[in-house]
Amino acid sequence: MAVELDEVDVELLTALQEDADRTNVELARLAGLSPAATLHRVRRLKESGVIRIISAQLDPAAAGFPLQLFVTATLARHDPRSSRIFEDEVRALPQIISADNVAGETDYLLSVVARDVTELQEVLASLATRGGQRLVTYLRLAEVKPPSRLPLMASTPAADRPPRRRSGRTKR
C-alpha cells in the first residue's frame, strides 16, 4: 500500500533523489522546515519504506567495469525450488547489479557488469548451472536516460506548515 505523501514529503524526496548527499540543513532550507522537523520527516520516510536506501551512483566504466550488459534468463524448470536455486545464485554473484523477475517471453532481466569477457563467461556459466536454460546477452552501448526520479505528487496537503502563498505575479 502506498504511503500518503504531502507537499513537504515530495519536496524532500525530490531533493534527495537529485542529490542524496545533501545535508539535513540544506534539506530543511529547501523544504522550509527546521532541521529537527526535517530529520523527523526523513526518518519517517525511511521507516515507512518510501526511502529504501540512500546510496551513491557509480560509473561502472570508471570503476573498472567496461562491459555492461543486460541478460535475459529463462529457467529450464518453473517450480519454486528451481526459482529459489536460480535466485540464490543471482544474489550471490556480485557482477549482477540488479535483477528482476518479469512476465513475458523470459523469466528474469539482469543487469550485469564485468571487467572482461572471461569474467562475463564465468557469470553466464554459473547461471546456466543453476537452472538458466536460455541466457541472452545484450551489450549496453550507451546510456540513453540515466535512472531518474520518481514523478512524485502529494496525496495530502502539508501538515507541518501553512500552505504556501502565491506571488502576486500573473502568468501571461
Side-chain angles (χ1 to χ4, degrees), residues 69-87:
L69 304 102
F70 297 102
V71 176
T72 60
T74 304
L75 299 186
R77 298 178 51 131
H78 293 88
D79 58 77
R81 182 177 182 276
S82 298
S83 295
R84 183 182 43 77
I85 290 169
F86 184 80
E87 289 176 9

Side-chain angles (χ1 to χ4, degrees), residues 109-142:
L109 178 61
L110 314 173
S111 184
V112 179
V113 294
R115 290 176 182 86
D116 53 35
V117 173
T118 301
E119 185 175 34
L120 174 61
Q121 288 173 318
E122 291 168 0
V123 169
L124 295 173
S126 183
L127 293 172
T129 62
R130 297 294 190 267
Q133 178 182 13
R134 183 167 184 258
L135 302 170
V136 179
T137 60
Y138 298 91
L139 180 63
R140 180 176 176 235
L141 300 176

